[in-house]
Amino acid sequence: MKSIKWLIIFLLIAGCTKQEGKNYIMTVNGSVSADKSGVWLTHEHLLVDFIGADSIHPGRYDRTEVVKKVLPYLRQVKDKGCKTFVECTPEYLGRDPELLRILADSTKMNILTNTGFYGAVNNKYIPSSAMSLTAEEMAIIWIKEWETGIAGTGIKPGFIKIAVDRDSLTDFHKTIIKAAAITHLATGLVIASHTGPALPAFQQIEVLQEAGVDPSAFIWVHASSEKDSSKLVEAAKKGAWISLDNLNELNVGKIVEKLKYLKEKGVLGRVLISHDAGWYDPAKEDGGDFRPFTTLFDKLIPELKNNGFTKNDIKTILETNPQQAFAVKIRKANIKSKTL
Ligand SMILES: [Zn+2]
């Protein structure tokens, strides 16, 4: 009897240690071991509705119609080797976790959705009621989605998606990034911020560090639009993830050159690649034109091989980096918080 009791205690401790030591990601179907998540697309969209936060409402599209249109594009990349797909559409822009769960079930792919507010385009996608929230009040909303699931679906976010405008951060956008910091420290979710140029990227990293969050919890989304590549190296050396997410049929050569530069500078281990493609737009006839997610597999990978990138380099970019970036893990800043 006594030995059984000890065996149970031992198994519980062993189980806990194993769970704690293992990186995991959060998909719309629950947690998945990060090292089993394979090849990723780290920034794509399946549905986006641009009507604006104060006009958006359920019923602007028929889910069955959307599934019919979108499913073949997902199957296409699954066949090419993509196992994990990050859907970056935020709330008030058409985030639909239940749609994503249907698509994940149909394809057996890992799909991630998000929590957070999208402040870019001068707050068009923030409801007026949210404009007066404090960082703490915002964070409470987002943390609740992590703890209990999004809007009664039980589906948890796999990352924090926020967005700021291209100039110096406004006070409201600083509030959003502070809310993201609080949420990260409570949940371990990585912060993917639609940013663009270097100026607001570095300002956000500073706000995060002041709030006690390490830059490795920050994905600089649309870093591809910063013309000075040395800025990407600088941010990567601080630990931030550099998202080159504008891959398309016409810029494969340019992306390869940028990757060669980043490899030469020793920061290939911080780079993420995606197309920012898709998506079904409810405002358009049959969802409008859908841009597929295939350039990475059909054009970029062969070009990387032609340009001396090893199998290991390619694995770093497409598997190891996203698995580390999106792992649910609290990343505290090393430096002391200035606000203390
Ligand atoms: Zn996007």
Side-chain angles (χ1 to χ4, degrees):
M1 194 62 195
K2 204 177 169 191
S3 60
I4 290 175
K5 191 177 141 197
W6 280 112
L7 178 66
I8 291 170
I9 291 172
F10 170 75
L11 287 175
L12 282 174
I13 293 169
C16 290
T17 318
K18 200 180 158 207
Q19 198 58 34
E20 276 168 20
K22 239 182 165 32
N23 276 348
Y24 74 97
I25 57 162
M26 184 54 71
T27 78
V28 293
N29 274 321
S31 63
V32 168
S33 187
D35 58 10
K36 291 195 173 58
S37 59
V39 169
W40 288 55
L41 285 171
T42 52
H43 188 114
E44 309 291 350
H45 299 274
L46 296 172
L47 183 141
V48 187
D49 189 348
F50 292 102
I51 193 165
D54 289 324
S55 311
I56 203 160
H57 60 89
R60 283 193 21 95
Y61 53 88
D62 177 350
R63 257 196 209 128
T64 320
E65 287 300 311
V66 180
V67 169
K68 213 168 87 189
K69 170 116 183 191
V70 168
L71 198 52
Y73 294 101
L74 270 180
R75 290 214 165 111
Q76 196 179 24
V77 280
K78 196 205 171 181
D79 290 346
K80 290 179 189 290
C82 175
K83 206 167 172 187
T84 303
F85 184 100
V86 181
E87 216 276 351
C88 287
T89 303
E91 199 190 3
Y92 307 115
L93 265 153
R95 179 187 65 166
D96 186 344
E98 282 178 303
L99 168 71
L100 302 186
R101 183 156 59 187
I102 295 168
L103 293 164
D105 287 343
S106 310
T107 55
K108 304 285 173 245
M109 289 171 82
N110 301 317
I111 302 183
L112 277 67
T113 188
N114 61 84
T115 189
F117 289 162
Y118 186 96
V121 202
N122 203 17
N123 306 318
K124 182 182 175 187
Y125 303 104
I126 308 260
S128 34
S129 59
M131 291 298 296
S132 55
L133 296 178
T134 64
E136 288 75 15
E137 286 165 340
M138 267 181 214
I140 286 169
I141 299 171
W142 303 345
I143 294 166
K144 193 172 169 235
E145 291 196 330
W146 166 254
E147 283 173 350
T148 62
I150 298 166
T153 61
I155 297 170
K156 294 187 175 189
F159 62 108
I160 303 159
K161 171 75 188 283
I162 57 170
V164 298
D165 281 320
R166 299 173 65 85
D167 306 317
S168 198
L169 293 181
T170 61
D171 284 345
F172 182 66
H173 291 174
K174 275 185 195 156
T175 303
I176 291 182
I177 187 88
K178 279 181 200 156
I182 299 168
T183 307
H184 171 77
L185 291 173
T187 64
L189 293 175
V190 71
I191 302 160
S193 180
H194 165 113
T195 298
L199 172 71
F202 284 95
Q203 287 177 335
Q204 288 176 94
I205 290 171
E206 209 180 305
V207 174
L208 288 175
Q209 286 181 314
E210 280 175 3
V213 175
D214 190 78
S216 61
F218 179 74
I219 301 175
W220 175 359
V221 173
H222 308 322
S224 26
S225 70
E226 168 56 55
K227 291 190 181 74
D228 180 356
S229 293
S230 72
K231 297 286 180 195
L232 309 186
V233 176
E234 198 183 324
K237 287 196 169 157
K238 284 178 185 281
W241 299 97
I242 308 302
S243 178
L244 305 179
D245 43 39
N246 65 337
L247 178 64
N248 63 53
E249 294 287 303
L250 303 175
N251 68 3
V252 176
K254 262 191 179 168
I255 298 266
V256 171
E257 285 310 311
K258 207 167 263 187
L259 286 171
K260 272 164 87 174
Y261 172 78
L262 295 170
K263 184 183 169 184
E264 197 186 291
K265 297 290 177 191
V267 294
L268 205 59
R270 308 311 289 176
V271 177
L272 304 170
I273 296 275
S274 218
H275 307 85
D276 198 10
W279 50 73
Y280 188 102
D281 182 345
K284 294 182 179 158
E285 178 73 29
D286 189 32
D289 289 335
F290 199 103
R291 186 156 71 87
F293 314 108
T294 47
T295 310
L296 188 145
F297 303 95
D298 295 344
K299 304 269 170 69
L300 184 70
I301 295 176
E303 267 313 294
L304 287 174
K305 287 178 182 161
N306 290 340
N307 279 273
F309 283 78
T310 63
K311 238 182 161 176
N312 212 30
D313 291 335
I314 295 171
K315 191 176 176 191
T316 297
I317 304 168
L318 303 184
E319 299 184 41
T320 319
N321 291 353
Q323 289 170 8
Q324 286 177 5
F326 286 88
V328 180
K329 201 173 175 184
I330 295 168
R331 290 156 250 187
K332 285 188 186 159
N334 267 332
I335 56 164
K336 272 198 178 142
S337 167
K338 284 186 201 166
T339 50
L340 285 178

